[in-house]
Amino acid sequence: VQLQASGGGLVQAGGSLRLSCAASGRTFSGYHMGWFRQAAGKEREFLARIGWSSSTTYYADSVKGRFAISRDNTKNTAYLQMNGLEPEDTAVYYCAAAPTIVALTTRAPYWGQGTQVTVSS
């Protein structure tokens, strides 16, 4: 699976962005999708995941209630809607895909290239 993340940019605190992750190469609907981020000088942080059928989602406490993950299997694309952005959300955001939840959160085999999100105060 090849993943292409997009949608990052510069936004003021309190603003919103929607990230997209376009997949190609294999059957997108068979993979769990996730979003991660890595701020400068920090370790990569898990944010959210979604099952192949969109019936199950899970969020890190740091983004619960502000971010929403979704997917459209007809477009081979996953999304991360980010609302109420804060300067602490500034990071490079990555999407990932894996055949199982355990693989997604431990050693995802497929990654997008990352998209920069910068939140100004």
Side-chain angles (χ1 to χ4, degrees), residues 77-99:
T77 303
Y79 304 95
L80 185 69
Q81 177 67 43
M82 306 186 295
N83 300 322
L85 285 164
E86 305 165 350
E88 294 72 25
D89 295 315
T90 294
V92 178
Y93 284 68
Y94 299 90
C95 57

Side-chain angles (χ1 to χ4, degrees), residues 6 22 25-26 35 49 53-55 60 64 72 81 86 88 94 97 100-101 104 107-108 112:
S6 62
R26 287 182 182 238
W35 286 94
R49 59 172 169 82
S53 67
S54 301
S55 62
K64 194 177 298 181
D72 185 341
Q81 177 67 43
E86 305 165 350
E88 294 72 25
Y94 299 90
T100 67
I101 293 174
L104 181 66
R107 191 185 292 264

Side-chain angles (χ1 to χ4, degrees), residues 10 29 44 48 54 60 62-63 70 73 103 107 112:
L10 174 63
S29 61
R44 188 167 58 203
S54 301
S62 59
V63 303
S70 62
N73 289 340
R107 191 185 292 264

Side-chain angles (χ1 to χ4, degrees), residues 32-35 46-51 54 56-59 67-71 78-82 96 104:
H32 296 267
M33 299 296 297
W35 286 94
F46 164 79
L47 300 176
R49 59 172 169 82
I50 186 167
S54 301
T56 57
T57 58
Y58 182 82
Y59 297 91
F67 292 8
I69 189 171
S70 62
R71 66 190 295 164
Y79 304 95
L80 185 69
Q81 177 67 43
M82 306 186 295
L104 181 66

Side-chain angles (χ1 to χ4, degrees), residues 14-33:
S16 299
L17 282 174
R18 188 177 81 155
L19 305 183
S20 299
C21 178
S24 62
R26 287 182 182 238
T27 305
F28 173 74
S29 61
Y31 288 83
H32 296 267
M33 299 296 297

